[in-house]
Amino acid sequence: MNFICNFPFFSILLSLFSGTICSVLPAKAAKVVNRAVIIVIGLLSAILLLYLLSVGEPFVYWMGHFPAPWGNEIRAGVLEAGMAMFFCIIMYLSMAGGAHKLYDEVDESKHNLYYILVNLLLSSLLALVYTNDMFTAYVFVEINTISACGLIMIRQVGRTIEAAVRYMIMSLLGSGLLLFGLCIMYDLTGHLLMSNIKASVGPLVANVEYQIPLIVSIALMCVGLCIKSALFPFHAWLPDAYGYSTVSSAAILSSLVSKGYIFLLIKIIYRVIGFDIFNSTRIIDVLFVFGLMGMIFGSISAIRENDIRRMIAFSSVAQIGYIYMGFGMGTQTGMVASVYHILSHAATKSLLFIAAIGLTEVSGGSRKFVDLTGAGYRNKWAGVAFTVGSLSMVGVPLFSGFISKLLFAQAAVQVEGKMLASLIVLGISTVLNAIYFMKTVIRIYTSVKDSPYESITFGKMKIHAITLMFFILLNVILGVSSQPIVDLIVQGLAMFS
Amino acid sequence: MMGPNLFANYGEAVSAILFCIGFTNLLLQTNLIKKIIGLNIMDSAIYLFLAEKGYIAGRVAPIVVDGVTSTEAYINPIPSGLVLTGIVVSVSVTALMLSLTIRLYTRYHTLDLDEISMQLKKEGR
């Protein structure tokens, strides 16, 4: 076994360990350790990705030298390594872009606590991406929930504590359902490792045995993860949690935490249940319908919102709806579109959050649209970045959002029966997106005479502006060189089964 | 078919009912402490389910005494291990929820989540 095969295990352990170290370090050192660990893990994942591309097949890593049915396992393929690298990039940019806001909003003595939470979050995300064991996945789902809750309430105002409580309640409902589904699955098959469960589920379906418990178990796991990733009817906690927490937290929560759960669901679909068996159940129709509803109602809520941060948060609900619509189509192309949209949405939504904070800063800290008038002139960099993010969300060519809409449309055309519904809702949702994002862009570029707020110069916001440039670059890369990325996703999904 | 099955597996049936009770309490109660109690009922129901499934009447925990090594004599230890892990997780989550509840109570002097939301709206922040 090649030395590079240790890298997934190293990355998980490194971030867990650095989280522990951060608790005794002063704030400045903790920050350096945190940034360094994110970069190192990103590099390790990149090397792993290159290695896997050259080898062309996934590998399984035994934890503690016990073979398959007994030991715990890590498994890495192209998609896992690519996802881990992408998560590290987004996390680094979000932390860098929101760093100055962290100093304003959080007491300095608590900064090292923040870095502990970020490290824990990263390690749990990596574990969700790499693990091959269902119960390990459950434990890390809970660690993810706890650290995400900490990220929300690190800024101590009434709203964030209430949002954290609401987030915890919904998350605990979700993980309760996930755990129950997982236990039923364990009873049916006698295994906890994903590949072993899949080997036992196939004969169960072929012999038409235990059909009802099997469906119940799949449904419970799906609903649990849907609740946790804020699919449409379960999104009540989301606007407060994203709207009032400190901006790095909001960017990380919207672009990484919910995506970690969705990635786990993809793994469950492919590696635990089997893609064909999952598609033969009616569950995909339910996911499809709720995805469509999320796309419309999320956008409508965003239009009615008068607060820029909450508007972006509601837009997340719509984008999660897109991803579940892709699952609901039940085809390989639909799934590829969903995975691409995970990347595209993560890059765009964190860009929007970080850019929005630049705009509110030059408007006296207010998030109301009235005060934001002309903010694009006062903070040119944030204005440009926000415009790019909006165009990407609406689906203008050159940016990543266009490609994901194109992929969804292509996938929809191939599915009989769901084609019309998906295309119509895709159209409506695009128009609604355009309404609220273009409204905001026009608002920030409406010039006002004798504005009470001062404009900001590049010198005062160097790091923020550079981060925004990297975000724009990432967005354009995703949008322009989409074909290699789509090929990678196809290859990665093929490695899953 | 349902009747005899239900009677033979009454432990599992009870755990499913308890799960539903806990789930509805966690979802619908407005009092935070009652929500947390619901959470604990829900989690314990799952552990009851695992324990019930993991036990086979007449067998003992897999600790070899008197040199009996036949697998027929012992139960599978993994469900018990899962219950232990699960208990650790649910204890830590409960502790976090309780600490959040204390925070909210010292700020707003109520445990009612809806009332806290009303007060927050009034504050307008």
Side-chain angles (χ1 to χ4, degrees):
Chain A
M1 185 168 268
N2 200 306
F3 181 71
I4 295 176
C5 296
N6 292 311
F7 282 3
F9 171 67
F10 284 170
S11 356
I12 296 171
L13 210 68
L14 189 65
S15 58
L16 264 183
F17 186 63
S18 64
T20 325
I21 291 183
C22 282
S23 60
V24 291
L25 289 179
K28 280 237 167 64
K31 181 179 166 183
V32 173
V33 168
N34 175 270
R35 297 283 161 83
V37 162
I38 296 176
I39 291 177
V40 167
I41 293 173
L43 286 176
L44 289 182
S45 313
I47 297 170
L48 185 68
L49 180 63
L50 290 177
Y51 166 76
L52 282 164
L53 282 175
S54 68
V55 176
E57 56 182 19
F59 64 83
V60 169
Y61 181 86
W62 294 352
M63 302 281 291
H65 294 279
F66 285 105
W70 298 285
N72 199 338
E73 281 178 355
I74 279 176
R75 182 183 175 284
V78 169
L79 197 56
E80 284 101 323
M83 232 7 135
M85 184 180 79
F86 186 75
F87 281 176
C88 288
I89 297 173
I90 296 286
M91 186 166 263
Y92 187 86
L93 290 178
S94 308
M95 292 298 292
H100 65 292
K101 208 64 192 162
L102 190 67
Y103 281 94
D104 295 348
E105 289 176 340
V106 181
D107 188 39
E108 179 135 13
S109 63
K110 284 192 180 153
H111 279 196
N112 59 342
L113 299 179
Y114 189 72
Y115 296 118
I116 299 174
L117 291 169
V118 172
N119 276 330
L120 270 182
L121 189 79
L122 182 61
S123 79
S124 61
L125 279 174
L126 291 170
L128 286 184
V129 167
Y130 284 125
T131 187
N132 199 23
D133 179 280
M134 284 303 287
F135 204 79
T136 313
Y138 164 73
V139 171
F140 278 98
V141 160
E142 290 286 26
I143 296 178
N144 205 331
T145 306
I146 291 173
S147 46
C149 176
L151 286 186
I152 297 172
M153 58 168 292
I154 194 85
R155 179 173 174 234
Q156 292 272 343
V157 294
R159 281 271 194 184
T160 55
I161 302 176
E162 192 234 2
V165 168
R166 287 195 185 276
Y167 174 73
M168 277 306 276
I169 291 166
M170 286 317 268
S171 283
L172 292 173
L173 290 172
S175 43
L177 290 174
L178 174 69
L179 181 60
F180 207 12
L182 198 151
C183 291
I184 295 176
M185 191 59 101
Y186 179 49
D187 290 328
L188 286 176
T189 59
H191 289 291
L192 284 171
L193 284 178
M194 293 186 178
S195 19
N196 295 44
I197 296 180
K198 194 181 173 190
S200 317
V201 166
L204 277 184
V205 173
N207 301 335
V208 203
E209 284 178 311
Y210 297 114
Q211 288 297 293
I212 296 172
L214 189 67
I215 298 285
V216 168
S217 156
I218 298 172
L220 285 177
M221 288 195 282
C222 278
V223 174
L225 288 170
C226 288
I227 292 179
K228 290 185 86 82
S229 53
L231 182 61
F232 157 64
F234 313 116
H235 67 281
W237 56 270
L238 188 142
D240 276 1
Y242 292 3
Y244 298 99
S245 52
T246 178
V247 67
S248 298
S249 303
I252 291 174
L253 281 168
S254 66
S255 51
L256 302 183
V257 174
S258 52
K259 303 300 179 302
Y261 301 136
I262 293 175
F263 193 79
L264 181 64
L265 184 58
I266 296 178
K267 278 180 82 155
I268 288 178
I269 292 173
Y270 272 90
R271 300 197 33 76
V272 177
I273 305 161
F275 192 58
D276 297 325
I277 297 173
F278 185 76
N279 288 342
S280 64
T281 63
R282 291 278 166 203
I283 294 167
I284 57 163
D285 298 341
V286 179
L287 290 182
F288 184 72
V289 170
F290 280 110
L292 294 186
M293 283 164 74
M295 284 161 71
I296 292 181
F297 286 103
S299 298
I300 290 175
S301 308
I303 290 177
R304 291 169 49 198
E305 202 49 68
N306 193 25
D307 174 326
I308 188 168
R309 287 273 296 274
R310 285 173 63 96
M311 182 197 85
I312 303 173
F314 270 119
S315 151
S316 282
V317 178
Q319 306 300 322
I320 300 280
Y322 278 83
I323 297 175
Y324 279 99
M325 178 185 79
F327 289 0
M329 285 176 190
T331 55
Q332 191 73 24
T333 42
M335 198 55 111
V336 171
S338 288
V339 177
Y340 186 86
H341 197 66
I342 291 179
L343 303 179
S344 146
H345 177 235
T348 315
K349 196 43 62 73
S350 39
L351 164 66
L352 282 171
F353 271 118
I354 302 282
I357 208 71
L359 295 176
T360 53
E361 267 173 5
V362 290
S363 312
S366 164
R367 304 114 156 269
K368 297 276 177 278
F369 284 123
V370 185
D371 300 311
L372 284 171
T373 314
Y377 295 114
R378 297 196 289 274
N379 187 343
K380 293 192 182 60
W381 297 87
V384 169
F386 193 87
T387 312
V388 169
S390 304
L391 292 177
S392 171
M393 276 288 156
V394 173
V396 173
L398 192 72
F399 304 117
S400 61
F402 169 70
I403 304 292
S404 51
K405 288 217 165 92
L406 185 70
L407 289 172
F408 276 120
Q410 281 175 348
V413 172
Q414 293 170 13
V415 189
E416 245 177 85
K418 287 176 184 168
M419 176 179 88
L420 205 59
S422 351
L423 288 181
I424 290 173
V425 175
L426 206 58
I428 295 175
S429 165
T430 307
V431 172
L432 293 176
N433 272 348
I435 290 175
Y436 62 83
F437 274 120
M438 289 307 116
K439 180 185 83 178
T440 318
V441 169
I442 292 170
R443 168 73 75 177
I444 63 173
Y445 281 115
T446 308
S447 55
V448 277
K449 279 173 190 152
D450 47 82
S451 158
Y453 308 114
E454 301 244 326
S455 46
I456 196 166
T457 53
F458 178 72
K460 278 189 186 162
M461 44 167 288
K462 270 185 207 137
I463 297 176
H464 191 196
I466 293 170
T467 321
L468 288 174
M469 278 195 309
F470 273 108
F471 266 127
I472 295 174
L473 192 68
L474 187 65
N475 227 305
V476 174
I477 290 174
L478 278 175
V480 173
S481 65
S482 57
Q483 198 52 45
I485 297 169
V486 170
D487 289 343
L488 263 182
I489 294 171
V490 172
Q491 200 184 344
L493 285 178
M495 277 187 185
F496 263 174
S497 35
Chain B
M1 182 186 156
M2 200 68 181
N5 250 342
L6 203 64
F7 189 67
N9 299 325
Y10 63 90
E12 286 84 342
V14 168
S15 74
I17 293 167
L18 278 176
F19 181 86
C20 296
I21 292 173
F23 190 86
T24 17
N25 266 304
L26 179 54
L27 187 62
L28 300 179
Q29 289 283 359
T30 54
N31 186 313
L32 281 167
I33 298 291
K34 287 185 185 166
K35 268 188 192 296
I36 296 172
I37 294 173
L39 161 72
N40 278 295
I41 295 176
M42 182 178 87
D43 279 354
S44 308
I46 301 173
Y47 309 143
L48 175 67
F49 181 82
L50 270 174
E52 187 71 31
K53 277 287 173 200
Y55 180 68
I56 303 170
R59 300 195 187 179
V60 294
I63 303 163
V64 178
V65 280
D66 308 331
V68 182
T69 50
S70 156
T71 49
E72 294 296 309
Y74 302 113
I75 58 162
N76 182 359
I78 292 180
S80 332
L82 297 186
V83 171
L84 280 180
T85 320
I87 287 174
V88 172
V89 170
S90 80
V91 163
S92 49
V93 173
T94 310
L96 182 57
M97 276 298 282
L98 283 171
S99 73
L100 284 171
T101 309
I102 294 172
R103 286 269 154 104
L104 280 181
Y105 187 76
T106 47
R107 263 167 203 263
Y108 299 104
H109 306 290
T110 173
L111 285 171
D112 192 315
L113 196 54
D114 290 347
E115 207 178 312
I116 293 172
S117 300
M118 296 272 284
Q119 291 197 22
L120 277 168
K121 280 210 182 95
K122 251 183 239 161
E123 275 179 26
R125 274 195 295 129

